[in-house]
Amino acid sequence: MVGNLLLRGMLAGLLGGILVFVFAHVFGEPLVDAAIAFEEASAQAAGEAAEPEIVSRATQAGLGLFTGVMAYSIAVGGLFALAFAFVHGRVSNLSARGTSAVIAIFAYVAIVLVPAIKYPANPPAVGNADTIGVRTELFFLMIVVSLAALIAAVALSRRLSERFGLWNGAIIAGIAYLVFIVLVLYLLPPINEVPENFSAMVLWRFRTTTLAMHAILCATLGLGFGALAEKRLAAKGGQRSRPATALH
């Protein structure tokens, strides 16, 4: 069963990857071009030599983008399916589609949205090459902390629901998660390496486009995988019921 769900998660990731690629190619690549043009103009104004282009922009925006997006989306789809296999029937009594949708929403909030509040995505020309290691470590630390806090909040909600009811327990746990995340956002060091004359519109559109790309992937996984998993689980239930029916 886990293997079948894993395959369906990867298929849903494949579909999500195609949608993300189309969106990124249409809306994201022009912003990358604008950022690269700014970077080249700044280097020229400073009298710096342009770096040699190892991979052409056409390849980066086409085959390179497609390969990266598809590999990422399929991998995320497989992880999504494993999370579903662990959660479904254990954490709640939701249907397969309901469980899939809830996982997708939680994943988007904890892994994408919350880390992006503190350390949003940046286009080329934004960021110091000397600090890329520190910035990467802080970003992944934010993801780990947010995801761990969400898991703890779900566990807290289950405990509180026994005493205060399902909705009240979920609300209290949600508030606890928000308070903890706000504290973490405050304590972690900020990073501001945006050049003074960089286009604010390009930066804003790039960051919102990045969030939209992840939203497309999460929505496709939540809805598409939920439908595929529901069919598989229904078929499995039907196969189990046939021998018992035949005995009557």
Side-chain angles (χ1 to χ4, degrees):
M1 174 57 67
V2 175
N4 288 325
L5 291 176
L6 181 62
L7 177 60
R8 283 159 174 76
M10 296 174 69
L11 289 174
L14 176 67
L15 175 60
I18 295 174
L19 296 177
V20 171
F21 167 74
V22 173
F23 181 87
H25 188 74
V26 173
F27 296 100
E29 286 303 320
L31 302 174
V32 175
D33 289 335
I36 292 176
F38 171 85
E39 188 175 36
E40 292 176 347
S42 299
Q44 186 176 5
E48 300 176 356
E51 296 184 3
E53 189 177 57
I54 301 176
V55 181
S56 67
R57 271 297 297 149
T59 302
Q60 294 176 22
L63 181 61
L65 176 64
F66 180 81
T67 303
V69 167
M70 296 305 296
Y72 174 80
S73 300
I74 292 173
V76 171
L79 294 174
F80 187 92
L82 294 178
F84 174 89
F86 177 79
V87 169
H88 184 59
R90 292 185 176 92
V91 177
S92 71
N93 296 323
L94 293 174
S95 65
R97 289 193 176 190
T99 301
S100 181
V102 169
I103 293 175
I105 294 172
F106 281 6
Y108 184 77
V109 171
I111 301 177
V112 179
L113 189 59
V114 169
I117 294 175
K118 185 66 177 184
Y119 303 115
N122 289 323
V126 176
N128 188 343
D130 297 333
T131 63
I132 187 171
V134 175
R135 287 187 281 120
T136 302
E137 292 174 359
L138 288 173
F139 178 74
F140 279 104
L141 175 62
M142 190 68 239
I143 292 178
V144 171
V145 171
S146 177
L147 186 58
L150 178 63
I151 295 174
V154 172
L156 178 62
S157 174
R158 288 173 57 83
R159 283 195 171 188
L160 293 176
S161 64
E162 299 175 358
R163 180 177 180 181
F164 300 103
L166 180 61
W167 279 106
N168 291 333
I171 292 173
I172 296 173
I175 293 174
Y177 172 78
L178 289 176
V179 171
F180 177 76
I181 288 300
V182 169
L183 180 62
V184 172
L185 292 175
Y186 175 77
L187 293 177
L188 286 178
I191 296 177
N192 183 17
E193 298 178 346
V194 180
E196 293 183 0
N197 55 342
F198 190 85
S199 172
M201 183 58 67
V202 171
L203 182 63
W204 169 255
R205 290 178 59 191
F206 181 87
R207 289 175 173 176
T208 54
T209 299
T210 302
L211 292 176
M213 289 165 56
H214 284 93
I216 291 172
L217 178 58
C218 288
T220 305
L221 290 174
L223 299 176
F225 174 80
L228 294 173
E230 186 176 64
K231 289 183 179 180
R232 174 56 187 166
L233 293 175
K236 181 183 178 182
Q239 291 173 358
R240 287 182 174 179
S241 64
R242 287 193 193 102
T245 303
L247 294 176
H248 293 284

